[in-house]
Structures are given as C-alpha cells and as structure tokens.
C-alpha cells in the first residue's frame, strides 16, 4: 500500500469559521485509482473538507496535496487538474450535447483539435453519436448523468470528485452509473465520492465517515463492518454517525 | 385506522407541452395512513402533489381531499392541509420563531393554540429560535419546515421528498417523527426516491415516467414479484455482475450493497448452475441463496 501513488495527501487539516471548528484535524491519503467514499451526517464537515480539496477554500491549518498540488498555495492548479460533478449542477440544459462538451473542454483549456477528438471519442464510448445535436434538457436523466460524468473528465484529470452523484436517481440508472465509476477507477482515475445511499458505500474501496468535524472511521467496507460488528454499512453508519453530539 | 378515504385520485393526467407528466393516475388513500409515493426524479411525484394541494390543475380526471374537489373547493382544501414542498418553503431572512409565527398567522391561528401538535419536533430546534432560517443546517430546516406545515393542525399532510439529500441517520429520525404524527390521526402522503423508506409506509404506490406501476401495502407489492430471485455474495462484485449479466434466462443482475441480486425467468439457471458458472470462470468462494424480493427489486423488475 505505502508504495502506491497517492492522489490525495491530507495532514492535520483544520478549518474554523469564527469560533466554530467545521473540520477538526483530519488526516488521510487516497491512492491512485481508488474509489474513496467520503461519508458523514449532514453538518459533519464534509462539504467544508471537499471545498478545501477542490481548491475553493483555504484551510485554517494543516497541509496537503491534491493531484500533486498544494492545497494552501496552488489552488488554481488544483482546479485545473481535478474533475467535479454533482447531481445538483453539472450540465447546461439549454446547450446541445456537443456544445456542453465544447464549453467544458474550452474552460479546461483544451485546443479545438483536442475538443473535436474528445467529442468523437466520448460520444462513441457513451453510444450517443446520434444525440450529438440534442439539447441536454431533452435527454433522459440516465443519459445526462453519464454525459455529465464523462464531461467532468474531459481534461483527463487524475481525480474526480462526485458530490452525491446519484441523489434521486432511479435504481437501474443508479447502478449503471456505478459501472461507469468502476470503469474510470480501473483506468487509473481516483474517484472521491459522497453519497447518502449506504448500499453505495459498500461499492467503495475504502470509506471514511466524518462525525462532528473529525474522521471517526476509515477503512474498507469489510474492515469497518468487522470492527463495528455490523452486517451492512448502513448499520456501521448508524452506529458511528448516531453518536454525533454536535447539533449540525 | 378507519376505512374512510382521505384522498381520492381518479384518472388524473397532466402534460407540459409534449411531456406527459402524469398518465391516468388512480389512487385511494385512507384516513390516518402513511401513504408513500415512491419513484425517481422526474417520475411525476411533484406534479401529482401540486394537483392535490390545488396549486396546479389536471388536464383530465378528478381528485378530492377529505371529500372536497381539488378544483371546485380549493379554498377549503388549502385551509385544512399542510404542505411541505421539496425545497422547504421557509423565509431565509426570518428567524425560526418568525417563520413559525408567520405560518400560524396565515392560517388564522397562533403557535400557542396548537403548540401540542408541534411540541415534540419544535422542542428539538427551539434553542435556535432566534437564528435565521437561512443559517440552519439541512436537518434543522427540515424540522422547522415540518413544524410550519403542522402549525394549523391540518387533517392531511403532504410531504414532497422530505428526506432527499438527508443523511441516513437523520432520515431514520424523520420517519420516527412521521409515525408519531400519524398517531395523532393525521393522514400523511409522502414522496421519496429512497426505496428503503417504502417499508415504513402503510401503503405505497410506485411511480415511473408518469405512471403508477404498482400499488398496495409493501408486503403486497413484494408478493407481486413473479421471477425467481437469488442473492450472490462474493469478493468481486463487478466480476460477478459481468459474468452473470449476459447469461440466457437472466433478467437482471443488480448490485445491492455487498450482494448481487440476480432475477431469473422460468427457464433460467438455479442456485447450482449459477454457482457452477461462476466457478468455471474462476470465481470461487461465492454463495448463492434464493431470496424474496425487496421493494427495490420490484421496482427494477417493473422498470
């Protein structure tokens, strides 16, 4: 394990807002190609931590790198080298499929030639060649989601952050999406994912569970289930997050 | 639980331009029950809620709430129902207390008069009563919104996706609150995309692409499942999925946490043959067990 390449290294990360400590000294590493589940109750500090990892917020103290860039002073480089997708927002519905690809490709600094190549390759991989000129608003949710995931990796990032990517999605589409996550991870992309579906926690290589600003548990699903004498990750989560004392 | 009908929906259809949001919906919800409308985003849940709460008019069909027609008697309905829309309708710049007082006043009552109705939930957020609603966390907003929907003692409570985006522990707490509210006699119609919440309802309807695909008690729906279903456990879930999915006689192969649920038709493989197939591909140490369908299995089977 120790010799594996690390995409995220976080040491003693702290973030305070006034006298409130949102993230209270968390440390962890995420390996290349790993599917890392970042769980916690609402208000546990997940969003604050993710914002720091994505270069959107500076830590009060602590050190770390994401995709090889320092979280304290290389935030712009981090933003360029990571992918990000959430269920709430990812694509522009009033733009066509190819326009969305071009827009995000352009934002990430790809050349026209690279964008053209990417578009062809992406649509072929998604079997969406015929949907090239479709408005995103007219696409079924499952297609949108697959497209959004592919576009979040248009610039070949080492790591992609997925913030509740499957919220509200039907059971079949949700599972198809996880196949894509596995595909990306097997190609070496590190996947950092949050979810409120505890069955999805089982699909992660390792899971961290935050409670009241600290990482209360970290390990593979089978390790955590054994440690907390639980049959499912739902039980593990209830045992750990149910102990929260912070009123959100 | 009495047998009286609290909400009746007869042949309701609704389209937005070319999009059919609801197609011939028929439902009967009994007084005092928790009725769950279960389906993904875009299935039509909110469209139906808006028609039943008199905020939108159906293209065809009719519906009534407590015997009152949703079109002809919309004013009566509005006075006697509580509605918690998907995006909590709270005034972000008003404090917790001010939001609650506002909703009580709109319905011509006071917080004091109905304090008993909301006491149990409100007591959990009362210590933050001077905090602006905008500064509350998701869980607290949810509790405040529920108080606001209950403050006028409604007969029927409509909750549109109250648990979306809420963590697993808070979701359990929320459902515990609902069963306590139910004890006071309120009829509750609740929508959710979480299939695991189905078993917490008295009766449910599964909705997909604007159509009700099944309805009944959770047990009835599970008993409607017609295929054989196996749970396969092993170390490499995605390898198992890849091997079993293409086999003939297999209808679906779906991961369920650390298990893979395999739905099989009448001519499909049995336990032994599934296990033999996995072993012949070098996947050893698996277990295969026949299981009963969960609501999520039923939904997958019907979609």
């Amino acid at each position: 394990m120790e010799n594996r390449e690390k995409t995220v290294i976080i040491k003693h990360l702290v973030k305070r807002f006034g006298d409130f400590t949102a993230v209270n000294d968390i440390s962890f590493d995420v390996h290349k190609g790993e599917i890392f589940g970042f769980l916690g109750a609402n208000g546990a500090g997940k969003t604050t931590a993710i914002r720091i990892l994505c270069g959107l917020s500076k830590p009060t103290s602590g050190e770390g790198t994401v995709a090889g860039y320092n979280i304290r002073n290389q935030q712009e480089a981090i933003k360029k080298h990571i992918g990000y997708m959430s269920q709430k927002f990812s694509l522009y519905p009033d733009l066509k499929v190819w326009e969305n690809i071009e827009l995000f490709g352009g934002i990430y600094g790809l050349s026209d030639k690279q964008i053209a190549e990417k578009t062809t390759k992406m649509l072929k991989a998604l079997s969406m060649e015929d949907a090239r000129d479709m408005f995103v608003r007219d696409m079924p949710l499952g297609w949108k989601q697959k497209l959004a995931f592919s576009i979040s990796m248009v610039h070949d990032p080492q790591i992609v952050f997925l913030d509740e990517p499957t919220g509200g999605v039907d059971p079949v589409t949700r599972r198809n999406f996880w196949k894509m996550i596995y595909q990306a991870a097997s190609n070496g992309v590190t996947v950092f994912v949050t979810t409120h579906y505890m069955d999805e926690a089982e699909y992660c290589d390792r899971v961290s569970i935050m409670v009241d600003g600290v990482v209360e548990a970290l390990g593979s699903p089978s390790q955590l289930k054994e440690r907390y004498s639980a049959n499912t990750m739902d039980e593990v989560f209830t045992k750990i997050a149910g102990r929260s004392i912070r009123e959100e | 639980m009495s047998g009286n009908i609290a909400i009746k929906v007869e042949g309701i259809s609704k389209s937005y331009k070319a999009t059919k949001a609801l197609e011939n919906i028929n439902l009967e919800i009994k007084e005092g029950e928790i009725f769950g409308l279960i389906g993904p985003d875009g299935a039509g849940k909110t469209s139906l809620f808006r028609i039943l709460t008199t905020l939108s008019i159906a293209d065809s069909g009719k519906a009534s709430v407590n015997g009152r027609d949703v079109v002809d008697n919309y004013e009566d309905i509005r006075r006697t129902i509580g509605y918690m829309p998907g995006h909590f309708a709270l005034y972000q710049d008003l404090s917790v207390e001010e939001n609650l007082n506002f909703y009580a006043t709109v319905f011509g009552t006071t917080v004091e008069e109905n304090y008993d109705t909301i006491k149990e939930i409100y007591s959990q957020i009362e210590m933050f009563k001077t905090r602006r609603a905008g500064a509350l966390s998701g869980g607290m907003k949810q509790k405040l919104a529920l108080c606001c929907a209950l403050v006028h003692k409604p007969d029927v409570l409509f909750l549109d996706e109250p648990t979306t985006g809420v963590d697993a522990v808070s979701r359990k707490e929320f459902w515990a609150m609902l069963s306590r509210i139910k004890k006071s006699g309120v009829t509750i119609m609740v929508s959710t995309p979480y299939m695991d919440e189905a078993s917490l309802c008295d009766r449910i309807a599964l909705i997909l692409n604007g159509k009700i695909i099944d309805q009944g008690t959770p047990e009835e729906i599970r008993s409607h499942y017609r295929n054989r279903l196996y749970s396969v456990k092993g170390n490499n879930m995605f390898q198992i999925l890849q091997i079993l999915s293409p086999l003939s006689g297999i209808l679906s192969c779906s991961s369920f946490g650390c298990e893979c649920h395999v739905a099989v038709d009448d001519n499909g493989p049995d336990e032994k043959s599934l296990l033999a197939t996995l072993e012949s591909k070098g996947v050893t140490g698996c277990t295969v067990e026949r299981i009963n369908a969960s609501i999520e299995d039923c939904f997958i089977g019907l979609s």
Side-chain angles (χ1 to χ4, degrees), chain A residues 9-227:
Chain A
I9 302 171
I10 292 297
K11 289 195 168 76
H12 303 298
L13 198 68
V14 174
K15 179 74 184 186
R16 288 195 195 94
F17 299 104
D19 57 3
F20 177 71
T21 307
V23 174
N24 190 3
D25 193 0
I26 64 172
S27 303
F28 59 83
D29 299 336
V30 184
H31 305 284
K32 180 177 176 351
E34 184 172 38
I35 301 174
F36 190 82
F38 197 59
L39 311 185
N42 299 109
K46 285 188 319 252
T47 303
T48 305
I50 290 175
R51 287 179 55 82
I52 294 170
L53 295 182
C54 291
L56 298 170
S57 164
K58 281 193 181 181
T60 308
S61 61
E63 293 297 330
T65 58
V66 173
Y69 298 97
N70 191 297
I71 55 169
R72 302 186 71 89
N73 53 30
Q74 292 182 296
Q75 291 188 306
E76 290 312 310
I78 288 179
K79 287 182 207 166
K80 284 188 188 126
H81 290 88
I82 62 168
Y84 178 85
M85 172 196 165
S86 91
Q87 180 64 20
K88 285 177 200 130
F89 172 79
S90 39
L91 300 173
Y92 288 90
D94 293 339
L95 293 182
K96 291 173 180 171
V97 169
W98 70 265
E99 290 170 329
N100 266 284
I101 302 173
E102 182 175 279
L103 175 66
F104 284 98
I107 287 171
Y108 284 114
L110 270 57
S111 68
D112 289 351
K113 185 165 166 275
Q114 284 171 314
I115 291 173
E117 284 169 9
K118 272 282 174 193
T119 305
T120 310
K121 209 172 139 191
M122 193 186 294
L123 294 178
K124 186 159 186 278
L126 294 167
S127 307
M128 284 187 198
E129 286 109 325
D130 295 341
R132 188 188 167 89
D133 291 323
M134 208 171 168
F135 284 104
V136 162
R137 61 166 183 258
D138 296 329
M139 297 174 93
L141 185 66
W143 291 25
K144 262 187 230 173
Q145 204 189 24
K146 286 181 175 180
L147 181 64
F149 185 43
S150 299
I151 288 182
S152 75
M153 297 185 290
V154 69
H155 53 307
D156 297 318
Q158 292 177 42
I159 179 167
V160 59
F161 289 85
L162 306 175
D163 196 3
E164 290 183 42
T166 56
V169 170
D170 72 78
V172 177
T173 307
R174 200 153 72 77
R175 287 172 173 80
N176 287 337
F177 189 73
W178 270 89
K179 285 182 192 157
M180 285 191 77
I181 292 182
Y182 265 80
Q183 193 64 52
S186 68
N187 291 336
V189 179
T190 306
V191 180
F192 193 99
V193 60
T194 73
T195 180
H196 287 310
Y197 288 98
M198 287 305 121
D199 58 338
E200 295 185 348
E202 311 264 4
Y203 311 151
C204 300
D205 294 318
R206 280 191 309 148
V207 169
S208 116
I209 300 178
M210 268 188 91
V211 180
D212 296 346
V214 302
V215 172
E216 189 67 43
L218 175 64
S220 70
S222 53
Q223 283 169 346
L224 293 181
K225 281 185 278 186
E226 195 179 313
R227 194 180 310 157

Side-chain angles (χ1 to χ4, degrees), chain A residues 42 168 174-175 203 238 248, chain B residues 41 137 167 172 238 255 257 296:
Chain A
N42 299 109
R174 200 153 72 77
R175 287 172 173 80
Y203 311 151
T238 305
E248 312 183 334
Chain B
D41 289 357
S137 72
D167 71 72
K172 288 190 178 100
F238 278 75
S255 48
E296 193 153 355

